[in-house]
C-alpha cells in the first residue's frame, strides 16, 4: 500500500466525524503486537523524498516516516519488497495477495491484498482489501504505490506509500514514508497516525529480519 519532509502546502482541518480509526494500511494486523509510538525514526542522513519526481501526498494530515539499516545485499532486499506475491511468506499480517497483471513489478502494475483489522471502540473487526497501483519504480532504488483500503465499516480513501533503498556502510538504508487521506481516518488524526506508524515499523522489522536471515547478515 515513510522518505520526506512536510510540505508548505496548506493542510485541511479534520472534518468533525465521530469515528476514530486504529488500523494501518501498511500492516493492520501488527496492531496486536507491541510497537513503538508513532514517531519517525532518527536518521543520520537525509533520505530522498521522491521517486522519479513523485512522492507522498504533501497535503495529507496523516503521515509517518521511518528507516532502518539492513545487513543484507541490496538485491536481496529489493527482491523481497518487489516480489509482492511472496509477502504472505514473511509478513504474517498479509493474509492474501493477488497480482492483477503479469510480469515483474513495474510502473502501472496493480496488486490486491488483504489484512485483518482488529476491532476498536469505534470500528468493528474487519478485513481490509487494499488495491495498490505502482506509480513509480526505479530498479533497486525506489518504488511508490498508492490506492484505497476498504473493509466493512472501515475505509481509507487513499494511502500513498514510498520506499527508497541506499547502500551505506554496513548494509542498506531502507527508508519508507506513507500518507493517508479520507474522512474516516481524518476524524482522529492522532490515532490514525499512531496506527500507521505501528504498521510501518512492523514492516521494517519483518523486512530486516527476513533479509538478514536469507543473507546470513552479510551486507554484500
Amino acid at each position: 500500500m515513510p522518505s520526506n519532509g512536510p510540505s508548505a502546502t496548506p493542510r485541511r482541518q479534520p472534518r468533525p466525524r465521530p469515528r476514530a480509526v486504529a488500523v494501518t494500511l501498511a500492516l493492520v494486523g501488527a496492531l496486536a503486537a507491541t510497537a513503538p509510538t508513532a514517531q519517525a525514526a532518527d536518521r543520520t542522513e537525509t533520505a530522498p523524498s521522491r521517486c522519479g519526481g513523485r512522492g507522498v501526498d504533501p497535503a495529507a494530515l496523516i503521515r509517518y516516516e521511518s528507516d532502518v539499516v539492513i545487513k543484507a545485499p541490496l538485491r536481496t532486499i529489493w527482491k523481497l519488497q518487489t516480489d509482492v506475491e511472496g509477502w504472505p511468506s514473511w509478513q504474517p499480517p498479509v493474509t492474501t495477495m493477488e497480482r492483477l497483471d503479469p510480469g515483474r513489478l513495474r510502473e502501472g502494475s496493480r496488486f490486491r491484498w488483504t489484512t485483518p483489522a482488529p476491532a476498536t471502540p469505534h470500528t468493528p473487526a474487519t478485513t481490509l482489501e487494499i488495491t495498490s497501483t505502482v506509480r513509480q519504480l526505479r530498479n533497486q532504488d525506489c518504488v511508490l504505490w498508492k490506492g484505497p483500503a476498504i473493509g466493512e465499516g472501515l475505509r481509507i480513501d487513499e494511502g500513498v506509500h514510498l520506499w527508497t533503498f541506499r547502500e551505506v556502510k554496513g548494509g542498506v538504508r531502507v527508508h519508507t514514508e506513507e500518507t493517508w487521506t479520507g474522512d474516516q481516518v481524518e476524524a482522529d488524526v492522532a490515532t490514525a497516525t499512531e496506527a500507521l506508524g505501528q504498521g510501518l515499523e512492523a514492516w521494517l522489522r519483518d523486512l530486516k529480519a527476513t533479509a538478514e536471515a536469507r543473507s546470513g547478515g552479510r551486507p554484500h
Side-chain angles (χ1 to χ4, degrees), residues 81-188:
Q81 188 72 320
T82 58
D83 179 15
V84 297
E85 291 174 294
W87 284 1
S89 69
W90 58 273
Q91 295 192 68
V94 180
T95 51
T96 68
M97 169 63 74
E98 177 188 8
R99 278 291 303 273
L100 302 180
D101 42 51
R104 290 187 177 183
L105 204 69
R106 61 192 183 279
E107 187 176 347
S109 292
R110 300 174 67 243
F111 50 96
R112 181 178 297 124
W113 46 298
T114 58
T115 189
T120 76
H122 304 279
T123 61
T126 188
T127 296
L128 281 177
E129 182 178 271
I130 305 162
T131 303
S132 300
T133 301
V134 177
R135 294 303 186 187
Q136 189 61 261
L137 183 147
R138 293 188 170 185
N139 186 43
Q140 297 189 36
D141 178 54
C142 61
V143 61
L144 174 80
W145 61 70
K146 64 195 299 186
I150 301 171
E152 185 176 351
L154 177 61
R155 179 184 178 95
I156 299 169
D157 290 349
E158 184 173 76
V160 186
H161 200 170
L162 174 69
W163 293 83
T164 63
F165 306 82
R166 298 288 181 271
E167 290 184 311
V168 296
K169 184 177 181 180
V172 175
R173 182 175 297 278
V174 178
H175 184 84
T176 187
E177 179 173 3
E178 185 169 355
T179 54
W180 286 353
T181 54
D183 288 349
Q184 198 172 17
V185 287
E186 289 169 8
D188 188 339

Side-chain angles (χ1 to χ4, degrees), residues 170-219:
V172 175
R173 182 175 297 278
V174 178
H175 184 84
T176 187
E177 179 173 3
E178 185 169 355
T179 54
W180 286 353
T181 54
D183 288 349
Q184 198 172 17
V185 287
E186 289 169 8
D188 188 339
V189 171
T191 298
T193 301
E194 183 176 0
L196 175 58
Q198 289 176 347
L200 293 185
E201 295 293 349
W203 195 323
L204 287 173
R205 286 196 302 271
D206 286 340
L207 181 61
K208 178 178 172 68
T210 305
E212 291 182 352
R214 293 191 181 184
S215 65
R218 296 185 298 272

